[in-house]
Amino acid sequence: MSYSELLSQVPLFASLGSDDLERLSTSLQPRRYARGEIIFHQGDVGTDLYIIRKGEVTIRLSSADGREVSLALLQRGDAFGELALLDEAPRSTDAVAREETALLALNRKDFQKFLEERPQVVPALLAELSRLVRRVTQTVHDASFLDARARLARVLLDLAQRQGESGDEGVAITPRLTQTELANLAGLTRESTNRWLRFYAREGLLSYEEGRITLLEPDNLRLNVE
């Protein structure tokens, strides 16, 4: 897949025509990261937006005492670090390569030059940033008001919607997740995550084997959130 084709899959740039995508793609710089390598730390000065060409990236928050909360698990075609295109404020999260990962980096200066030439992208940028704010607001809401069972169900449904593959048995969540990773995404302990995974499996709502989760009855699982 060409750089411009990958750009077209990013919501921020989806409204651009082929000529504009081709123009912007000339500014992309390839980067590679090994499994577990830090792409950026919370507090780093941000200068680039990243697009995943291959691999997976975890966006997380870390505390001084070593605790971690995962905010998102991203795959090919996903973008992150959007705010770096707008200001020079420090990064608000960590980004870590979950496996060997190839990225494309778009520098703020190159993007601002592009905006001067193509101001029609500004509405799409604002719309994407508003979606980002809504996702963060939803995460805070879930952590504040949902119990453990509902929080796990919400995360599973979100993963299935964004990164699921439909099949005869149900919707398989494509990244294989350890219970620790799933617990971090839901803001739960591993023990609580294990307990509710087993509960949902007994209820026939999902299957969990060797890190692969398949939602057997997504609509019924959603009843645990609503």
Side-chain angles (χ1 to χ4, degrees):
M1 181 181 293
S2 68
Y3 286 5
S4 59
E5 289 173 327
L6 189 59
L7 268 178
S8 69
Q9 297 182 3
V10 178
L12 183 61
F13 308 116
S15 64
L16 296 181
S18 57
D19 290 343
D20 290 339
L21 290 169
E22 192 64 36
R23 160 67 182 82
L24 189 58
S25 70
T26 61
S27 299
L28 298 176
Q29 298 297 320
R31 307 275 178 83
R32 287 191 172 273
Y33 296 86
R35 179 180 180 180
E37 188 173 357
I38 302 295
I39 299 167
F40 55 73
H41 286 281
Q42 182 178 349
D44 288 349
V45 175
T47 58
D48 299 288
L49 168 143
Y50 295 98
I51 303 168
I52 302 175
R53 191 179 185 193
K54 176 184 176 183
E56 296 177 356
V57 172
T58 299
I59 305 299
R60 71 185 189 193
L61 292 173
S62 301
S63 65
D65 59 5
R67 290 179 296 170
E68 297 175 357
V69 175
S70 297
L71 302 179
L73 179 61
L74 307 179
Q75 294 184 305
R76 179 178 178 177
D78 288 329
F80 60 97
E82 298 94 334
L83 295 180
L85 297 181
L86 301 180
D87 58 34
E88 299 180 4
R91 298 284 191 184
S92 57
T93 64
D94 301 330
V96 186
R98 190 168 177 264
E99 59 184 43
E100 185 176 347
T101 297
L103 303 177
L104 297 175
L106 176 62
N107 187 267
R108 178 172 57 249
K109 291 182 179 179
D110 292 327
F111 182 67
Q112 289 176 345
K113 182 178 179 181
F114 175 78
L115 283 183
E116 293 173 359
E117 302 171 356
R118 305 287 195 276
Q120 64 268 29
V121 75
V122 173
L125 171 63
L126 295 176
E128 176 59 19
L129 291 177
S130 69
R131 285 190 287 270
L132 175 63
V133 171
R134 283 196 294 271
R135 289 198 297 270
V136 173
T137 302
Q138 184 67 62
T139 299
V140 173
H141 174 276
D142 292 352
S144 301
F145 299 111
L146 296 184
D147 61 18
R149 182 173 70 170
R151 283 156 67 182
L152 179 60
R154 171 86 77 183
V155 167
L156 292 172
L157 290 165
D158 182 62
L159 288 169
Q161 180 180 6
R162 297 179 61 249
Q163 299 164 329
E165 295 180 352
S166 297
D168 294 337
E169 294 185 355
V171 182
I173 296 173
T174 52
R176 293 183 181 272
L177 296 166
T178 67
Q179 290 190 17
T180 298
E181 289 174 321
L182 189 56
N184 285 339
L185 284 169
L188 303 173
T189 65
R190 184 184 180 281
E191 291 75 17
S192 180
T193 299
N194 177 269
R195 180 166 63 253
W196 289 112
L197 276 176
R198 288 189 286 109
F199 170 81
Y200 286 136
R202 288 196 305 270
E203 294 292 307
L205 300 181
L206 61 79
S207 64
Y208 180 77
E209 184 176 356
E210 297 181 351
R212 173 56 61 88
I213 301 172
T214 301
L215 303 190
L216 306 176
E217 297 186 14
D219 290 340
N220 288 335
L221 181 62
R222 189 169 288 107
L223 296 176
N224 290 272
V225 180
E226 297 173 347

